[in-house]
Amino acid sequence: MFDKILIANRGEIACRVIKSARKMGIKTVAVYSDADRNALHVKMADEAVHIGPPQANQSYIVIDKIMDAIKQTGAQAVHPGYGFLSENPKFAEALEAAGVAFIGPPKRAIEAMGDKITSKKIAQEAGVSTVPGHMGLIEDAEEAIKISGQIGYPVMLKASAGGGGKGMRIAWNEGEVAEGFQASKNEAASSFGDDRMFIEKFVTQPRHIEIQVLCDQHGNGVYLGERECSIQRRNQKVVEEAPSPFLDEATRKAMGEQSLALAHAVGYASAGTVEFIVDGDRNFYFLEMNTRLQVEHPVTELITGVDLVEQMIRVAAGEPLSMTQDDVTLNGWAMESRLYAEDPYRGFLPSIGRLTRYRPPAETEGYAPGVTPDAPVVRNDTGVFEGGEISMYYDPMIAKLCTWGPDRAASIQGMRDALDGFEVEGIGHNLPFLSAVMDHPKFVSGDMTTAFIAEEYPDGFEGVDLPEDHLRRIAAATAAMHRVAEIRRTRVSGRMDNHERKVGSDWVVTLGGARFDCVIAADPHGADVTIGDMTLRVSGDWTPGDQLARMVVGGEGVVMKVGKISGGFRIRTRGADLKVHVRTPRQAELAALMPEKLPPDTSKFLLCPMPGLIVRIDVAEGDEVQEGQALAVVEAMKMENILRAEKKGRVSKVNAAPGDSLAVDDVILEFE
């Protein structure tokens, strides 16, 4: 077994590898760029080596710099994580030449399966059904349009070396092919240093289901069940679960055996994932094989009790698998929610900045990968900490929150509670959206496809409208909380004599467009809050100043993130962001007479929707623009975003130029 391994990655996956290595008694080496000097993975590792500037193409994906770090530290093996160099055969070749073990598959398997075009040909030769498409490389947009017409719209433009949704776009017509082809090539070149593209038919209404395989160097292999990854946005997974609520045992077995056959055909050895799209009749089609550890591997670990990182290390060290297919059992149900630095209220655009507050829910004590759970589990794989920076240079993922339960309903409920208790401040993030998904009837039923987000949130995410019974429970809780805060304020020292303030029992709570008249009868253990003809018992763990309230209202748990506003609270729970005002009846009467404050008019400006870099400006002063016309391109977190005109107009001023770094709401263009 190895004494020391180097992790050629960053963020949460580097931290995840360190945890398993530490459990195995193996020392670890981290590498870091200028932007990651104070990162969590650097603090966790036994050693750390600086490898260059923040840009990945000048640090994390420069093979020579990683090789220098190996020489400096004497590492015997390298775990590549995912992304960066994880599927680069040249990196595996360089390690082999240096006598350093690659904690991943052989070079020939990476070459065969890592390239989507080659892997599809091999799958076809092996008798695996594949999606119709053009197998050759496409040189330019004109050729892409011709090929797309032959395949039939819609089509998927995909980077051959891509992954994680980068360099991938759906095109429904010639115009979208012409526009998307070059943007996808640019993203692929920036993210992977390889801009080769191919095109395949986009199968509408599919499910995205993948099989986890694990093979050793002695010809042994197992499949570890499937993962349902259909909740996606911009072709990037958001929520994953294992097993799939859609597969039956016969389909699972067929997909697993086919995946293993494909792995054996290329001499695979390590953890790998074979991805399929599955239609409504459970017909499955090979998409690609990822020759690396997947982002969503924790859900497989939770239902199988197998530590995939540990197994990868053991396989790389030449050990045979310690299990056979008969030993693999699927236990319970697991969910994973990807917490992204993306603002759902601004079209999920990237958000960067300092984490002024980062308090994940408590992880289950005693649980560790490689242990089969027997009680509900909360697990949080992360690479950040409170006070740390979210950089514009890397992927926007902050953490992977996972839950396990004995069945799907229990796992979903555990995720709901964990999301409500996850405190993140300082940046935009998608916690509200993740909460909304967990409560969505279509998700709860398990009847979803990869079109779920596009169909259920066609106009973007604008928060959640909670049902009246939930609003009533929040009103009762906040009324009781406000009363506690008011009593505390009456006890402030230094008040004038003979001016004692009485705290009444009648309150009016307004939230989410609803009004609740509350009467509170308090006692040392809680309060009875009467709203109309209903009385709700309120108790819980909250004192004034706490930013998280865990309450029990009418016998049901309510977890709320709490902020202070004038005359009440800002409450965030179950995907809703509510301004809650708690007033005396007279205050409520007067408040109803106040005029509503209108937001400023920004219709004559093109504002930068996210922190990012201007790639290009497509118009000039004096140009007339049409609705939907491309105006500018902004790059952030490795993604290019095209900004379009909302209506017809004329450009009066251009305030930015290519290469400018802009903050949110900086003015790019002005219109007459």
Side-chain angles (χ1 to χ4, degrees):
M1 182 50 64
F2 310 117
D3 297 319
K4 183 188 292 187
I5 65 173
L6 181 142
I7 300 136
N9 217 297
R10 62 176 301 281
E12 63 86 15
I13 187 57
C15 297
R16 167 69 188 90
V17 175
I18 290 170
K19 288 178 181 178
S20 282
R22 184 181 292 164
K23 181 181 72 174
M24 298 172 70
I26 301 171
K27 292 183 178 180
T28 55
V29 179
V31 292
Y32 64 92
S33 69
D34 291 341
D36 283 337
R37 190 174 298 276
N38 298 312
L40 184 60
H41 73 284
V42 175
K43 299 177 186 296
M44 288 180 63
D46 296 294
E47 301 175 57
V49 179
H50 176 249
I51 55 170
Q55 294 85 350
N57 60 7
Q58 298 179 43
S59 52
Y60 290 106
I61 63 174
V62 180
I63 294 175
D64 288 345
K65 292 189 175 183
I66 302 298
M67 299 306 297
D68 287 342
I70 294 169
K71 291 176 184 176
Q72 289 179 42
T73 58
Q76 301 156 311
V78 173
H79 197 300
Y82 48 74
F84 293 152
L85 296 171
S86 62
E87 294 177 286
N88 188 321
K90 293 181 181 178
F91 183 50
E93 185 177 25
L95 291 173
E96 185 178 355
V100 177
F102 180 62
I103 304 175
K107 175 195 167 190
R108 63 183 181 277
I110 299 175
E111 290 176 328
M113 291 287 97
D115 185 287
K116 293 181 178 64
I117 294 173
T118 304
S119 66
K120 193 171 181 181
K121 288 178 179 177
I122 292 173
Q124 286 180 332
E125 291 168 359
V128 181
S129 66
T130 58
V131 181
H134 180 79
M135 302 302 294
L137 298 170
I138 296 101
E139 292 299 325
D140 53 34
E142 185 176 340
E143 185 184 359
I145 291 171
K146 179 181 177 182
I147 291 168
S148 298
Q150 293 169 349
I151 295 172
Y153 291 99
V155 297
M156 177 77 81
L157 310 174
K158 300 180 77 172
S160 182
K166 304 297 189 297
M168 185 184 298
R169 278 172 171 76
I170 299 169
W172 295 82
N173 52 54
E174 289 186 3
E176 291 185 4
V177 172
E179 187 175 86
F181 184 78
Q182 192 58 50
S184 292
K185 279 179 74 74
N186 293 345
E187 283 180 11
S190 174
S191 296
F192 313 108
D194 184 342
D195 68 353
R196 294 176 299 154
M197 301 293 299
F198 73 106
I199 300 176
E200 65 185 17
K201 177 73 174 177
F202 177 66
V203 180
T204 56
Q205 299 296 303
R207 283 178 178 260
H208 185 138
I209 300 176
E210 60 192 28
I211 301 291
Q212 176 72 60
V213 297
L214 181 64
C215 303
D216 63 20
Q217 299 177 28
H218 308 281
N220 305 307
V222 295
Y223 62 91
L224 300 170
E226 80 281 1
R227 296 185 285 258
E228 172 82 56
C229 307
S230 295
I231 305 298
Q232 303 180 5
R233 189 186 55 75
R234 295 175 185 163
N235 304 305
Q236 194 167 49
K237 299 160 190 171
V238 178
V239 174
E240 301 99 350
E241 60 183 297
S244 166
F246 185 63
L247 291 194
D248 55 24
E249 188 56 44
T251 309
R252 175 179 297 117
K253 185 172 187 290
M255 292 175 71
E257 290 177 349
Q258 217 173 94
S259 299
L260 267 186
L262 186 62
H264 288 319
V266 293
Y268 201 86
S270 192
T273 297
V274 183
E275 300 196 350
F276 297 90
I277 55 171
V278 184
D279 67 19
D281 296 322
R282 296 194 179 92
N283 298 309
F284 53 89
Y285 303 91
F286 171 77
L287 278 177
E288 61 183 344
M289 183 176 189
N290 289 302
T291 57
R292 54 173 168 80
L293 190 68
Q294 289 282 89
V295 175
E296 57 272 20
H297 75 275
V299 291
T300 296
E301 294 185 330
L302 282 163
I303 66 165
T304 62
V306 175
D307 184 332
L308 286 168
V309 174
E310 177 182 346
Q311 293 301 317
M312 291 179 75
I313 295 171
R314 293 192 181 282
V315 167
E319 295 185 11
L321 292 183
S322 59
M323 70 193 83
T324 66
Q325 194 63 53
D326 290 340
D327 298 322
V328 177
T329 57
L330 307 185
N331 172 45
W333 215 284
M335 292 278 161
E336 175 178 288
S337 293
R338 298 193 191 188
L339 175 56
Y340 286 118
E342 297 175 335
D343 191 340
Y345 302 106
R346 301 175 69 96
F348 295 94
L349 291 172
S351 177
I352 63 174
R354 187 172 298 280
L355 287 166
T356 56
R357 191 173 183 85
Y358 180 75
R359 308 284 174 87
E363 293 187 273
T364 301
E365 189 174 347
Y367 168 75
V371 177
T372 302
D374 58 6
V377 168
V378 174
R379 167 177 166 178
N380 188 53
D381 285 18
T382 189
V384 302
F385 55 90
E386 188 167 290
E389 286 275 349
I390 301 299
S391 168
M392 68 180 286
Y393 297 103
Y394 310 115
D395 187 274
M397 191 166 64
I398 299 171
K400 301 181 312 195
L401 181 64
C402 305
T403 56
W404 178 92
D407 54 38
R408 189 169 188 266
S411 185
I412 290 175
Q413 185 57 48
M415 182 60 74
R416 289 171 180 151
D417 294 340
L419 288 168
D420 281 344
F422 205 136
E423 299 179 76
V424 180
E425 304 290 349
I427 60 165
H429 55 78
N430 67 332
L431 278 174
F433 178 72
L434 294 170
S435 292
V437 170
M438 289 299 134
D439 277 335
H440 196 287
K442 186 173 283 190
F443 176 77
V444 172
S445 72
D447 181 25
M448 68 277 187
T449 71
T450 55
F452 172 85
I453 293 177
E455 291 176 350
E456 302 304 320
Y457 303 93
D459 300 320
F461 180 74
E462 297 177 355
V464 172
D465 294 324
L466 295 176
E468 185 177 357
D469 61 333
H470 202 146
L471 291 177
R472 185 182 294 110
R473 289 196 296 274
I474 295 172
T478 51
M481 291 159 59
H482 184 78
R483 178 184 174 278
V484 169
E486 282 290 284
I487 291 173
R488 179 188 239 189
R489 283 189 278 272
T490 66
R491 296 171 179 168
V492 174
S493 61
R495 65 181 186 272
M496 296 175 64
D497 293 338
N498 303 318
H499 283 75
E500 185 174 352
R501 184 155 65 100
K502 301 291 186 182
V503 177
S505 59
D506 292 353
W507 301 93
V508 177
V509 181
T510 55
L511 73 163
R515 169 181 168 139
F516 298 95
D517 295 303
C518 304
V519 180
I520 301 176
D523 59 58
H525 305 291
D528 291 322
V529 181
T530 301
I531 301 175
D533 59 357
M534 180 180 293
T535 298
L536 297 169
R537 179 67 178 174
V538 178
S539 60
D541 178 20
W542 184 82
T543 55
D546 288 352
Q547 296 187 38
L548 190 69
R550 297 186 182 274
M551 312 293 285
V552 177
V553 183
E556 293 190 37
V558 178
V559 181
M560 304 178 293
K561 290 181 269 287
V562 182
K564 189 72 182 75
I565 62 173
S566 179
F569 307 97
R570 179 191 180 192
I571 296 294
R572 286 169 291 173
T573 183
R574 289 296 172 87
D577 193 334
L578 302 166
K579 286 185 178 180
V580 182
H581 290 99
V582 186
R583 302 180 174 105
T584 65
R586 178 57 176 161
Q587 288 171 336
E589 182 183 344
L590 296 173
L593 303 175
M594 296 293 288
E596 183 179 353
K597 184 178 180 181
L598 298 176
D601 180 12
T602 60
S603 61
K604 292 189 176 182
F605 302 101
L606 175 66
L607 305 179
C608 190
M610 76 208 90
L613 198 69
I614 296 290
V615 176
R616 69 173 188 268
I617 302 291
D618 292 329
V619 294
E621 290 184 11
D623 286 358
E624 185 174 294
V625 300
Q626 304 299 319
E627 181 180 352
Q629 181 178 336
L631 302 175
V633 177
V634 179
E635 179 184 348
M637 291 181 170
K638 302 190 289 185
M639 295 288 283
E640 288 192 357
N641 301 272
I642 301 173
L643 308 185
R644 302 181 182 278
E646 295 182 356
K647 59 183 179 181
K648 183 178 178 180
R650 187 179 298 277
V651 179
S652 62
K653 189 176 181 182
V654 178
N655 295 312
D660 288 354
S661 181
L662 302 185
V664 173
D665 289 339
D666 278 356
V667 178
I668 301 173
L669 302 175
E670 298 179 28
F671 302 94
E672 293 178 357

